[in-house]
Structure formats: structure tokens, C-alpha cells
Amino acid sequence: AAGNVTSMSFPGLDGNATNGYYLVGNIDSNFNGSNNYLLYVNGDTTDTNYRMQYLAARATSTFLDRVSNPSVANTQDLTGTHFAYYVSRDTNGHFRFSGMYQRENDTLLIGVTQWGIRSAGTIANITSLQVNSQNASGIGDGSRVSLYAFTL
């Protein structure tokens, strides 16, 4: 990102011409506090239209949860995050994503495995993807998010 931004978009996609996408990113948070990064498909930015489950490891503890949003990463107090996700439309037309992210600061490393779905019905095609910061300008200057299409 050139400057601090709230969103990074990938328009003009044709998911029917691929088997899926690989989304990778390194985000430097520009927000002092907890900040989620959310993955939306085809302009649907209603968090409750998505379900996501995760398993996290922090120091010697593990925990899991299910939430109603398409979070793909989280940062805390100006930390950075790295993430990698497989994104696709399954054979029944559901948008799905699965992958991992990690964040760290000087004293703590957190690794999270996640999987999610757009639960508000099916889609005919993946035509756009968007990574949004929960907080305004939360994607810091120099952050990078890349999308790679692949065919099996």
C-alpha cells in the first residue's frame, strides 16, 4: 500500500476460469489496538453473511472459536501480520477460504489456522475480492497483499 489505507481490492476476477486463488499478505498495522482484517467476495461486506472458525496457539496455550465475520488476520498495538489463504468457490457454489496467519511482537508469537465460508447463499462466480481493515487506515504504508490464480 502506498500510504495508510482501509482496503485493498482485486476487481475484474473470473473465478470460473480458475480452480481458485492463493491470497498472501504482509500487513503492517497502522492502528494502536486490536484490528481485524476481513476478506469479502463480490462486494458483500456484511460481516454476518460469513462464518469463520479458528484454532490459535499462543505461547503454551491453544484456543478455538467461531465468529460471524470473514476475518483472515488480526493485529494488536501496531504489530504486523503475515497471512496465506486458499480461496475458492466450491462445486456447490459456496465461497470458501482456509489458511493461516501469524502475528508477533517482541515477546509473543501467535499462530492461527482458520477456515470460513460465505454462509448467505451461493455465488455464481468470484468476480472480486477485497481485504478490509476493521479500523480506518489500518493497513499501514508499505503493506503488501498479492493474489495468484491457479488451475489444477
Side-chain angles (χ1 to χ4, degrees):
N4 299 321
V5 299
T6 303
S7 179
M8 298 180 85
S9 298
F10 299 92
L13 304 177
D14 182 4
N16 291 338
T18 73
N19 290 105
Y21 295 95
Y22 190 58
L23 179 75
V24 294
N26 285 296
I27 292 180
D28 293 322
S29 177
N30 188 46
F31 186 77
N32 193 14
S34 181
N35 193 25
N36 282 319
Y37 298 91
L38 307 154
L39 175 63
Y40 298 113
V41 65
N42 297 348
D44 180 0
T45 58
T46 303
D47 285 350
T48 56
N49 285 347
Y50 300 84
R51 301 286 182 270
M52 185 273 296
Q53 293 185 194
Y54 65 90
L55 173 63
R58 177 177 56 203
T60 59
S61 300
T62 59
F63 52 97
L64 55 99
D65 199 2
R66 178 180 178 181
V67 297
S68 294
N69 68 47
S71 177
V72 292
N74 173 272
T75 57
Q76 185 70 40
D77 296 332
L78 303 172
T79 59
T81 185
H82 165 80
F83 59 85
Y85 284 88
Y86 169 65
V87 178
S88 70
R89 177 183 162 271
D90 70 18
T91 56
N92 294 316
H94 294 99
F95 171 73
R96 297 184 181 272
F97 60 95
S98 59
M100 59 72 59
Y101 81 90
Q102 70 177 37
R103 75 170 199 231
E104 63 182 300
N105 58 31
D106 292 340
T107 60
L108 182 63
L109 174 65
I110 297 174
V112 183
T113 299
Q114 301 187 157
W115 51 99
I117 186 171
R118 181 179 173 273
S119 56
T122 60
I123 59 174
N125 194 1
I126 295 174
T127 58
S128 68
L129 293 170
Q130 183 177 330
V131 176
N132 282 9
S133 169
Q134 180 183 14
N135 296 288
S137 300
I139 300 172
D141 185 34
S143 295
R144 297 176 314 276
V145 178
S146 300
L147 184 69
Y148 303 93
F150 64 88
T151 303
L152 300 175

